[in-house]
Amino acid sequence: MVSKIDTVAKRNKLPIAKKPVWERLAPGVFLGYRKSPETRKWLVRYHDPDAPKGASNPYKVQVFANADDAHVDEEALSFKHASVKALTLAEAANVPSAKNALPLTVRRAVEEYIAGRNARDRKHKGRENIRSDADTRLTRHVLSDMDLSDTKLKDTTPERLLEWLSNVPLKVATKKRLAGDFKAALRLAGSKYAKFLPATWKAEISGALTVKNDELNGRAIQVLADDEIRAALRAAKEVDEAGNWDGDLHRLMVALASTGARFSQAVRIDRKGAFRQRRLDRRTGAEMTDCVVMVPASRKGNGSKVKPPTKRHLAETDFDILTSGMDTDPDGPLLQRWKNEEISPTVWKRGDRATWYHASEITRPWHQIVEKAGLQKHTLPYAFRHSSIVRHLQDGIDVSTVAALHDTSPLMIQKHYAAYIVDASDDAIAARTVSLSE
């Protein structure tokens, strides 16, 4: 059947009428167009799955947007966009045929990926109002590009992706994270809808969205000397006291510095994961007591494997600070902070204790810590992790062990800290050098 509403020219020829002109999009799902003297509207009509059997009118009707032929506003929808929106609304109402009828577009792939990432973050952090970083990045830089978003997956070429990537106004490191999220979304869709796509599609888009960071590695200038770390922790204690953190901020900084863990790992340490263990020294036979913290594995990757926590040995003074918090639930997190609750737009009050959930919570106090400690302004909290890795390498610990202690791969250590590995081995190599000449 020839459509009467798929172009502006066809819709302009239609008479003004109270009843919409309907077009079938899928079994039980229809797109409607209504033309009145004042407006041009898009409607959706779909079979109500909850309608009683034998109901005289088992359909639901909803007006959802202005049509673009009236030029009412910038958000007016074309026939193509209105069709997708109508199917999306029907799918949300659990109309089975709607999902299968939705076109396989970049937008659909990205939105499905975002939904999964948001659900994962909400589960991990125990909050419903969480948006993942991927949601923010992809919404801002991909979904906002209507031309790219509405491209069908099978028509999405490496050239088109390279063109988009070259026009994104971001620094290389940020662009790399964005491209990684976008690549993950498209690869997920490529696996899910493989039978509808060319066999080489996934490999081609992966290559197009691989960003090489040719900038100088910033890790070297983020390594702090032991005295600088001590100064940062002293400053953290002062900022904590001045800001009425009740020790919570200071304990978090000590955790980051003493374990070398990522923020997301440190805040998930259980109270029962911090304990003193007794053991016999294998060389002397003497009984020893160690202060131990079990650092949870990172949640990087697809999470298909459950990794055990990493045992970290701490100095007794650091251990005492970490375990000195007011939270005593043995099954609760070791590190918590007060949660502020909004009473009105200008009035806040201290609420209950809660876990830290996002690194942005320490952005403002960290700037104060850096200033008080006299560190370089560009220093980030992640410098604690870099410094921990370098400290272990310079102590002569092998790469595999350093990688295991910091929940990363030996390849990553070799790639980013190669200079320190060479420096750490110089003494050992020199000590074993034998003269072979007479």
Side-chain angles (χ1 to χ4, degrees), residues 27-41:
V29 183
F30 300 84
L31 174 67
Y33 171 78
R34 184 166 61 205
K35 187 175 184 180
S36 70
E38 297 83 16
T39 61
R40 312 289 188 268
K41 295 288 186 180

Side-chain angles (χ1 to χ4, degrees), residues 111-123:
E111 288 179 344
E112 289 180 354
Y113 177 76
I114 286 174
R117 283 289 300 271
N118 286 349
R120 189 182 73 178
D121 280 17
R122 287 163 185 164
K123 179 182 178 182

Side-chain angles (χ1 to χ4, degrees), residues 432-438:
R432 289 164 177 76
T433 301
V434 177
S435 175
L436 299 176
S437 61
E438 295 183 354

Side-chain angles (χ1 to χ4, degrees), residues 188-234:
L188 180 64
S191 298
K192 188 175 180 181
Y193 305 111
K195 64 180 180 180
F196 302 109
L197 298 168
T200 59
W201 187 83
K202 278 176 61 176
E204 290 174 352
I205 61 101
S206 293
L209 290 174
T210 298
V211 177
K212 294 181 179 180
N213 190 348
D214 295 326
E215 293 181 348
L216 292 176
N217 193 339
R219 283 173 170 77
I221 59 173
Q222 292 286 298
V223 175
L224 304 178
D226 290 348
D227 287 344
E228 290 177 309
I229 293 176
R230 294 189 185 99
L233 294 181
R234 286 194 298 269

Side-chain angles (χ1 to χ4, degrees), residues 137-382:
R137 284 192 287 265
L138 292 172
T139 299
R140 182 177 299 169
H141 299 290
V142 179
L143 296 183
S144 62
D145 187 330
M146 299 291 288
D147 181 58
L148 175 63
S149 296
D150 292 330
T151 303
K152 292 183 178 179
L153 287 184
K154 65 182 181 64
D155 297 330
T156 304
T157 63
E159 292 75 19
R160 179 66 183 90
L161 295 175
L162 286 170
E163 179 188 2
W164 165 81
L165 193 58
S166 65
N167 291 325
V168 175
L170 297 173
K171 293 182 179 179
V172 175
T174 308
K175 184 181 290 190
K176 188 173 183 178
R177 287 191 291 270
L178 170 63
D181 287 330
F182 195 13
K183 183 195 300 184
L186 294 181
R187 285 183 61 85
L188 180 64
S191 298
K192 188 175 180 181
Y193 305 111
K195 64 180 180 180
F196 302 109
L197 298 168
T200 59
W201 187 83
K202 278 176 61 176
E204 290 174 352
I205 61 101
S206 293
L209 290 174
T210 298
V211 177
K212 294 181 179 180
N213 190 348
D214 295 326
E215 293 181 348
L216 292 176
N217 193 339
R219 283 173 170 77
I221 59 173
Q222 292 286 298
V223 175
L224 304 178
D226 290 348
D227 287 344
E228 290 177 309
I229 293 176
R230 294 189 185 99
L233 294 181
R234 286 194 298 269
K237 188 173 183 180
E238 294 177 16
V239 173
D240 184 300
E241 293 172 351
N244 296 319
W245 288 86
D246 285 351
D248 297 332
L249 177 67
H250 183 222
R251 280 188 290 275
L252 175 62
M253 294 301 163
V254 171
L256 296 174
S258 60
T259 65
R262 305 173 183 87
F263 175 90
S264 61
Q265 293 175 275
V267 299
R268 290 188 286 115
I269 299 173
D270 291 330
R271 177 161 285 276
K272 61 184 178 184
F275 56 89
R276 286 181 166 86
Q277 70 171 14
R278 290 188 175 184
R279 62 177 175 86
L280 292 178
D281 189 296
R282 293 183 179 181
R283 292 174 297 177
T284 65
E287 187 175 88
M288 308 288 291
T289 300
D290 300 322
C291 297
V292 171
V293 168
M294 304 301 291
V295 179
S298 70
R299 286 170 171 161
K300 299 177 71 175
N302 58 20
S304 58
K305 294 183 180 179
V306 178
K307 295 171 61 178
T310 302
K311 180 188 288 188
R312 298 304 309 268
H313 291 253
L314 270 61
E316 187 169 7
T317 51
D318 294 338
F319 181 84
D320 289 341
I321 291 172
L322 289 186
T323 56
S324 64
M326 63 184 69
D327 307 293
T328 57
D329 181 2
D331 296 321
L334 178 66
L335 304 170
Q336 296 194 61
R337 67 0 174 193
W338 291 106
K339 180 181 177 182
N340 292 326
E341 297 178 353
E342 186 177 11
I343 305 302
S344 70
T346 57
V347 179
W348 293 73
K349 75 169 185 176
R350 176 173 283 188
D352 299 327
R353 302 284 290 168
T355 57
W356 300 85
Y357 71 92
H358 199 281
S360 61
E361 293 176 281
I362 62 173
T363 299
R364 184 175 297 176
W366 176 254
H367 290 324
Q368 297 172 337
I369 291 170
V370 167
E371 184 177 355
K372 279 184 175 293
L375 302 178
Q376 296 184 57
K377 290 184 179 180
H378 64 264
T379 305
L380 302 173
Y382 212 77

Side-chain angles (χ1 to χ4, degrees), residues 1-178:
M1 184 177 177
V2 179
S3 174
K4 295 181 180 180
I5 58 175
D6 61 341
T7 67
V8 172
K10 290 180 182 179
R11 297 196 295 272
N12 284 338
K13 294 178 181 179
L14 293 175
I16 292 174
K18 291 183 178 180
K19 290 185 178 182
V21 176
W22 295 101
E23 181 162 321
R24 183 176 181 271
L25 300 177
V29 183
F30 300 84
L31 174 67
Y33 171 78
R34 184 166 61 205
K35 187 175 184 180
S36 70
E38 297 83 16
T39 61
R40 312 289 188 268
K41 295 288 186 180
W42 291 117
L43 304 85
V44 62
R45 184 179 74 193
Y46 54 83
H47 191 278
D48 183 4
D50 299 324
K53 189 174 182 179
S56 59
N57 184 16
Y59 286 89
K60 283 191 174 181
V61 178
Q62 178 183 343
V63 178
F64 63 87
N66 292 315
D68 61 351
D69 51 296
H71 304 289
V72 177
D73 54 48
E74 294 182 357
E75 297 182 358
L77 301 182
S78 65
F79 172 81
K80 177 182 176 182
H81 293 152
S83 298
V84 174
K85 180 66 174 178
L87 288 167
T88 303
L89 292 171
E91 181 187 7
N94 297 319
V95 179
S97 61
K99 185 172 184 179
N100 296 330
L102 278 170
L104 291 177
T105 61
V106 170
R107 180 183 303 281
R108 180 173 174 182
V110 170
E111 288 179 344
E112 289 180 354
Y113 177 76
I114 286 174
R117 283 289 300 271
N118 286 349
R120 189 182 73 178
D121 280 17
R122 287 163 185 164
K123 179 182 178 182
H124 288 167
K125 296 174 182 177
R127 296 184 55 179
E128 290 300 320
N129 59 339
I130 293 291
R131 285 182 67 193
S132 64
D133 292 339
D135 185 347
T136 305
R137 284 192 287 265
L138 292 172
T139 299
R140 182 177 299 169
H141 299 290
V142 179
L143 296 183
S144 62
D145 187 330
M146 299 291 288
D147 181 58
L148 175 63
S149 296
D150 292 330
T151 303
K152 292 183 178 179
L153 287 184
K154 65 182 181 64
D155 297 330
T156 304
T157 63
E159 292 75 19
R160 179 66 183 90
L161 295 175
L162 286 170
E163 179 188 2
W164 165 81
L165 193 58
S166 65
N167 291 325
V168 175
L170 297 173
K171 293 182 179 179
V172 175
T174 308
K175 184 181 290 190
K176 188 173 183 178
R177 287 191 291 270
L178 170 63

